[in-house]
Every structure is written in C-alpha cells, then in structure tokens.
Amino acid sequence: MLWGAVGAVALAFLVALEIAARHYGVRGPIADQAREVLFAPKSGTVLYAGMALMLVVLTWRQRCIAIGAAVGIDLAFWLVRRAVDAEMMYGNGALLVTLACAVIALTRRTGRERTLLLQGVGLALLLVTGRKTGYTWLLITSKTRPSVLDPYVATADQALGNPSWVAGRIVEATGVVGFRVLEFVYIQLAVMAVVVALYQLRNVAVERRFPRHHLVRTFLAIGLLGPGIYMVFPVVGPIFAYGADGGPWALAELWPNTPPPITVPQPIPFDEFTPRNCMPSLHTAWATAIFIHSRKAPRALRWAGTFWLIATLGATLGFGYHYGADIVAGVVFTLTIDAGLRTLDHGRDRRGVRLVAHGAAVFAGLLLSYRFLSTEMAAHPWVAGPLVVLAMVSVIYAYVRTTGRWDRPAAEVHMPQQRRESQPELV
C-alpha cells in the first residue's frame, strides 16, 4: 500500500509537470523520457547509472546478461545512427533493459521477488526521471518568477566575506587544470552518488531486501523538495546577477574581482530562461548527502566523499553559481531532510523529531534573515557572520549526536558465568 501510494503521488506530480511544461511549449519529463527509448538521450551516463542501481537486486549471472544486452542494444543503435547521420549518444540500451526488467517483474515474478525487482526498477527510473523533472522545474522557475532576490543574498553575503568572489579569483588563478577538475566533479555528482549507493546496496541480492536507509532516498527527497524553495526564494547567482553571463540583465560586471557595494537591496527583473536555482544550493546539498552516507564505507570511498564535497563547494562558489549564504542553507537543508527520513525509520523517535524541528527552524531563520535583515547583516559582519555559521554548526552537532546514538551498537549483555561447584571428594 505504501509503495502504491508513493507511485500514485509520483505519477500525479509528473503529469502536473508535463502539463505545465506543455503550457510553455516544451516537452515535460514524461514525454522527454519516453522519447529516449528510441532517440538519442541527453545523458547516457545517467541511464547507465540508473540501470546499475537496478542491478543490485539481480544475481551476478543476471547482471552479466543485463549489461551485455544493454551494450549490444547501444551498439546496434550506434550503427543505425551512424548510417543515417543522426545525433550520436549512448544509453538507450540501459533504458530498454530497465523497462524490460519491469515487464519481467510483472509477468514472470510473483510475491516478494516481484516486489523486489519492481523496487529496483523504480529506483532506476526515479533517478533518470528525477533529472528530467529537474529540468522542467528549472523552466517553471524562470517563467513564473520574473524578479529575483540576488541583491538581498549578495548583501547578506557581506557578513560571510563574499566567499563566491574569493573562490572565483582562486579558480581563475588555478588555470585550466583547476577549472577542468572542478567542472568534472560538478557535472558528475550523480555518478559519485551512484557509487556510494551501490556500496550501501551491495547486499540486496543476497538479503533480498533493501536496507532501511540509504543515499538514494535522501538524494531524491532533496531533488523533490528543493525546487519548491526556488519558487519561494528565486535567486540566479552571482555570475548572472553581477557577472558577464547575465548580459543586459546583470546589475554590473563585478564578479569575481569587485565585491558588490552595500546598498538597500531591491528585487530585480531578470530574463525568462535563466533558472532561479540558487537558494538553497542543491549541489551542495547532494554533495553533503554523499559525504555523510560515505562515512561508513571503506577508506577510499570516505576520502572520495570528502573530496567530492570540498570540490563541489569550490565549484559552486568558484564558478559563480552560488553565494556563501546558499551553501550554508544547503547544508542545513540536507541534514534536516536526512534526519527526517531516519526519524521515520526509528518510529518517530523524540530525539529525531527535535532534530528535524531544530533544522527546519534554522533553515527558515536563515531565509528570513537573508530576506529581511540583509542590510543589518552587512552592517555588522563580525556579529552576523559568526551567528550564521554557528546556526549551521548547531544543526551539524545535533545531527552527529543524534545519529550517533542511533548507530551505536547495542551494548553487549554480559551474562554471569555459571558458578562451578567444587568437585566432591571421596571420604
């Protein structure tokens, strides 16, 4: 019943986005995904990453068959597209194999095996459809929010020392090599998430069940809830509002060399195609989720999760896509969502409820401060800046303390040893 309810809500949500996208003259997530069954996908990497998530429910023999079929189908598509001089891209094979597994689950499986395979297929399709949904959300933000609040965030960012301007100059100093490394990390964030998720789900095929909590749940929840905040707090980012990429809509070409002056902020009009996707920084949110979910992995994966978080922060700030205020909000946003999901798993534990309430209050307080107290924050940076950081640290501390109690193994119960009676002696 739970999976059925979730599926119904997801389908209704996708249909609503499809209708909204059609209203603006573009394909929605359903049509765009259906088109990729035959036509060149936008990202073959995401389709194969989604299929990899589905493979966790299969045996090794079934995995080899699925991978071989996907590669074979892609080779056939490649030959046909080359012959007709069509757009080249891989990934159709992975999508078709995933859909074929759904058909097999409905026609050849029963009971728990059917449910498990459908869960694997659903996990794969949620990942690839989530990406399409994100594109539609971004379109809606640009069409429905003609004004943006960048001056408010830029003014509040003065209290944090304008980190985007500082990081932008650092990235410029690193040259092409530093730019390419950060660009790769920024673009391939979903691939790193799949790597961590595959480690967490490595025992599904043996145990025939999914673990109680894993990265994909948090990842999808962030992507579902984040765009709603975009609609409430539309921001385009410093490279658009204060940089060359904003064109005639930019207030001035100041990024990254000259911090913006402290003035009384006002909403500014902006174009109808730049996404209002800054507050909070979902790239930071997803990288934070990868970091916290890789803490129980082997050392190499822990180091990779740490590197991905640091590099993602460097990219989001250094490329001018986000302000420092967005980063702080993104961290709090992630920890609150992950804590909420884990609280549900622990039967609405009282400590978890307090943590979620604390995180939600801090997140709301940050947004209200950026919107209504930005001038005061800029006027008193040595007070406002530490307070913002301290608010974030309080959520981090509460999260670590609460989840540490949940993860702490149960204390071993030491039973007293049976007292040995002395050997009776013959008299």
Side-chain angles (χ1 to χ4, degrees):
M1 292 179 61
L2 177 61
W3 278 93
V6 171
V9 172
L11 180 60
F13 178 68
L14 290 175
V15 171
L17 286 181
E18 185 74 28
I19 295 173
R22 293 290 180 177
H23 176 72
Y24 294 111
V26 297
R27 291 189 300 269
I30 298 177
D32 208 21
Q33 191 64 68
R35 184 178 181 274
E36 293 186 351
V37 173
L38 295 176
F39 295 93
K42 291 183 179 179
S43 175
T45 303
V46 172
L47 291 175
Y48 269 95
M51 188 186 74
L53 288 178
M54 181 200 65
L55 295 181
V56 299
V57 305
L58 303 180
T59 64
W60 278 107
R61 179 177 176 274
Q62 293 168 340
R63 292 171 187 172
C64 292
I65 294 174
I67 294 173
V71 173
I73 293 172
D74 271 331
L75 287 176
F77 271 82
W78 181 79
L79 291 174
V80 172
R81 285 173 182 152
R82 185 173 183 180
V84 300
D85 195 25
E87 181 183 0
M88 304 298 290
M89 177 54 70
Y90 62 94
N92 301 88
L95 180 58
L96 288 171
V97 167
T98 302
L99 295 176
C101 287
V103 174
I104 292 172
L106 294 173
T107 59
R108 304 292 297 275
R109 297 285 194 274
T110 58
R112 187 174 181 180
E113 290 299 314
R114 171 186 288 179
T115 302
L116 187 66
L117 184 53
L118 286 177
Q119 286 177 346
V121 172
L123 209 59
L125 294 180
L126 279 174
L127 178 67
V128 297
T129 306
R131 193 178 182 92
K132 303 296 182 185
T133 302
Y135 293 146
T136 305
W137 260 120
L138 296 182
L139 171 68
I140 293 174
T141 63
S142 63
K143 297 295 185 181
T144 61
R145 293 296 180 267
S147 298
V148 297
L149 304 178
D150 282 76
Y152 293 90
V153 184
T155 303
D157 227 35
Q158 301 275 351
L160 298 174
N162 297 304
S164 181
W165 272 256
V166 176
R169 293 194 295 270
I170 293 175
V171 171
E172 283 188 349
T174 60
V176 177
V177 175
F179 180 86
R180 294 302 180 191
V181 171
L182 294 180
E183 182 184 44
F184 174 81
V185 170
Y186 190 84
I187 294 175
Q188 301 301 334
L189 183 67
V191 176
M192 184 61 195
V194 170
V195 172
V196 176
L198 288 177
Y199 174 78
Q200 291 182 319
L201 304 176
R202 66 193 183 281
N203 295 324
V204 171
V206 176
E207 299 176 353
R208 310 312 295 165
R209 64 177 179 84
F210 280 85
R212 177 180 293 181
H213 184 57
H214 52 83
L215 173 62
V216 181
R217 297 175 67 198
T218 305
F219 216 77
L220 293 175
I222 291 171
L224 178 64
L225 298 176
I229 310 301
Y230 293 163
M231 303 293 288
V232 177
F233 208 113
V235 181
V236 293
I239 198 172
F240 297 103
Y242 296 95
D245 287 16
W249 298 94
L251 290 174
E253 290 191 20
L254 302 176
W255 188 89
N257 298 314
T258 306
I262 301 176
T263 58
V264 178
Q266 296 289 336
I268 60 172
F270 218 78
D271 59 42
E272 295 185 356
F273 54 84
T274 301
R276 280 65 163 152
N277 62 340
C278 277
M279 183 62 72
S281 169
L282 291 197
H283 259 79
T284 299
W286 284 320
T288 304
I290 291 173
F291 174 79
I292 60 180
H293 280 268
S294 63
R295 293 308 88 195
K296 296 181 181 179
R299 180 179 299 178
L301 204 53
R302 293 200 305 269
W303 279 103
T306 304
F307 168 77
W308 230 265
L309 174 60
I310 296 174
T312 300
L313 294 178
T316 54
L317 292 172
F319 292 164
Y321 296 150
H322 290 280
Y323 303 90
D326 309 336
I327 305 299
V328 174
V331 172
V332 175
F333 186 67
T334 299
L335 297 180
T336 304
I337 289 177
D338 195 76
L341 293 174
R342 297 194 66 175
T343 299
L344 292 176
D345 295 335
H346 286 81
R348 298 182 182 178
D349 180 81
R350 185 176 300 177
R351 291 186 296 265
V353 173
R354 287 199 298 265
L355 171 58
V356 173
H358 175 58
V362 170
F363 182 74
L366 289 173
L367 296 189
L368 291 174
S369 299
Y370 300 157
R371 178 62 176 83
F372 298 107
L373 298 176
S374 57
T375 305
E376 289 76 7
M377 292 174 66
H380 304 89
W382 291 105
V383 175
L387 285 178
V388 169
V389 175
L390 184 62
M392 179 184 68
V393 171
S394 71
V395 178
I396 295 174
Y397 174 76
Y399 177 87
V400 172
R401 185 177 180 183
T402 303
T403 57
R405 289 178 177 176
W406 286 336
D407 296 336
R408 190 175 302 147
E412 296 182 2
V413 179
H414 296 281
M415 299 297 294
Q417 294 184 355
Q418 185 177 2
R419 190 175 67 178
R420 297 181 61 184
E421 297 292 337
S422 58
Q423 182 74 21
E425 297 181 0
L426 293 176
V427 178

